[in-house]
Amino acid sequence: MTMMPCEEVARLLWQFMDRELDPVTARALAQHIRACRGCGPRHEFEARLRAIIQEKCAGEPAPEHLRRRVLALLSDI
Amino acid sequence: MAVRRRFVEEDMRAGATLEFNALTLDPSAAGEPAAEFAALVEEHLDGLYRAGLRLTRNRDAAEDLVQDTFLKAWRAFHTFEPGTNARAWLYRILMNTYIDSYRKAEREPEIVEADDVEDQYLYSRVQESEELRRQGNPEAIVLERIMDADVETALASLPETFRAAVILADLEGFSYKEIARILGVPIGTVMSRLFRGRRLLQKALWEYARAGRYVTPGGERTGS
Ligand SMILES: [Zn+2]
């Protein structure tokens, strides 16, 4: 079986992580990542980086007075 | 009535909040659009506020934006098709409201990139760095520094076109197709904005990891 080339993995990596690749391509890419000593760490780094960004930009819940203001719209109109 | 039942069933499958059920199961409110809409508010208020805050970078503006969004949504609620994606529908109204009313007359992003800039910008810089290699595990060192970085400021420094794509994909978890509908642009445009946004974010984070501070595209410092 021919492996997907490393350049192709780098090019498609974000689409793969976004779950936007077709199943056949996604499978080939996952297989490559498991086997390749260059692309495995690249994928792991991107995945950890994204998790950090999500964690650090999680934000804050809406303030209670906004909830009340919005729900008040329903009775005002 | 059928609409309400479907929402309740879906919500129960997803592990509903008690607040939501109490609201929809209130017999006096049964089947009324106001009760259905109130359930949407409870479910999506936090998410819309979070996205609004990232877009406007200002709490007061985010609150006004979210209130206007729900006002428009409520007025258009009779056109909303039950069973379709309520979350994407609300985010589309949020984005349109933001673009119409809140966006400063901001210069369009004029970020010129070399054609050969690779997607995983940060990873490539890490691999190239002799200095990091001397210190041990370069990937772990950089990720640790980014853990300490003000990532929110880095995100806020992106031009809004790219920031919006990154917010919708990476923080709100929408698919390319959903983002295309929310922003009213083709999927190819979503991908190019999103990937460019990610590269810009990675560049800002690399600056931080390397120098301990940010250098924003316009040269100015941004804060929230
Ligand atoms: Zn490889």
Side-chain angles (χ1 to χ4, degrees):
Chain A
M1 164 183 351
T2 45
M3 282 256 281
M4 179 187 274
C6 294
E7 302 76 48
E8 188 75 348
V9 173
R11 191 177 70 78
L12 295 175
L13 186 59
W14 281 350
Q15 282 166 266
F16 173 74
M17 291 171 64
D18 295 337
R19 300 176 190 282
E20 297 277 356
L21 289 178
D22 67 88
V24 175
T25 313
R27 234 185 340 264
L29 202 145
Q31 211 164 39
H32 181 120
I33 283 172
R34 274 196 301 275
C36 176
R37 290 177 56 192
C39 297
R42 176 186 288 267
H43 173 251
E44 196 194 320
F45 183 86
E46 288 298 316
R48 287 179 60 195
L49 178 64
R50 191 174 293 186
I52 291 171
I53 291 168
Q54 284 164 349
E55 188 190 318
K56 300 213 51 148
C57 295
E60 52 196 89
E64 187 50 37
H65 63 261
L66 177 62
R67 184 180 303 269
R68 282 198 300 271
R69 257 164 69 192
V70 169
L71 289 172
L73 296 172
L74 299 173
S75 45
D76 284 355
I77 303 163
Chain B
M1 206 54 177
V3 177
R4 192 174 58 87
R5 202 173 304 122
R6 178 162 46 231
F7 276 144
V8 172
E9 279 166 10
E10 273 179 13
D11 208 57
M12 283 174 159
R13 277 201 298 277
T17 62
L18 288 172
E19 196 175 8
F20 182 94
N21 281 330
L23 196 75
T24 49
L25 296 176
D26 176 3
S28 66
E32 288 188 13
E36 289 164 18
F37 193 81
L40 283 186
V41 173
E42 294 296 346
E43 195 178 350
H44 298 292
L45 180 70
D46 284 343
L48 289 167
Y49 176 72
R50 198 172 52 218
L53 202 51
R54 302 272 164 262
L55 287 167
T56 62
R57 300 179 281 196
N58 172 297
R59 287 197 177 83
D60 289 338
E63 289 182 22
D64 289 346
L65 171 60
V66 169
Q67 178 164 343
D68 285 0
T69 298
F70 277 117
L71 184 61
K72 285 186 188 168
W74 174 232
R75 283 181 181 148
F77 193 47
H78 62 281
T79 67
F80 173 70
E81 283 180 48
T84 61
N85 189 339
R87 187 165 174 259
W89 179 69
L90 287 169
Y91 275 78
R92 191 172 70 226
I93 298 172
L94 178 89
M95 287 306 307
N96 287 339
T97 307
Y98 172 68
I99 289 164
D100 290 347
S101 319
Y102 291 85
R103 187 167 59 174
K104 284 170 280 175
E106 215 173 76
R107 66 263 181 255
E108 278 302 298
E110 285 286 346
I111 307 254
V112 183
E113 278 189 334
D115 290 336
D116 60 350
V117 175
E118 68 279 71
D119 281 349
Q120 292 93 41
Y121 176 87
L122 187 56
Y123 187 74
S124 302
R125 297 292 81 71
V126 170
Q127 297 306 301
E128 285 167 8
S129 170
E130 285 299 329
E131 197 190 326
L132 285 171
R133 202 170 304 283
R134 277 198 299 274
Q135 296 175 49
N137 182 338
E139 290 93 340
I141 293 168
V142 165
L143 288 172
E144 214 162 283
R145 286 186 193 165
I146 290 171
M147 282 290 280
D148 293 334
D150 187 351
V151 180
E152 288 186 303
T153 299
L155 178 65
S157 75
L158 303 192
E160 67 175 33
T161 312
F162 307 129
R163 194 168 72 241
V166 172
I167 291 168
L168 292 170
D170 292 352
L171 302 184
E172 300 300 327
F174 285 111
S175 69
Y176 296 169
K177 200 169 150 189
E178 286 170 324
I179 298 171
R181 288 212 198 99
I182 289 169
L183 297 176
V185 297
I187 285 182
T189 307
V190 170
M191 289 172 68
S192 85
R193 288 183 187 178
L194 174 61
F195 287 16
R196 187 166 285 202
R198 284 175 179 164
R199 289 194 294 267
L200 289 170
L201 182 58
Q202 292 201 357
K203 280 183 186 176
L205 293 173
W206 170 243
E207 291 292 337
Y208 187 92
R210 199 176 50 165
R213 66 191 177 84
Y214 289 121
V215 181
T216 60
E220 84 264 27
R221 287 183 156 263
T222 30
S224 46

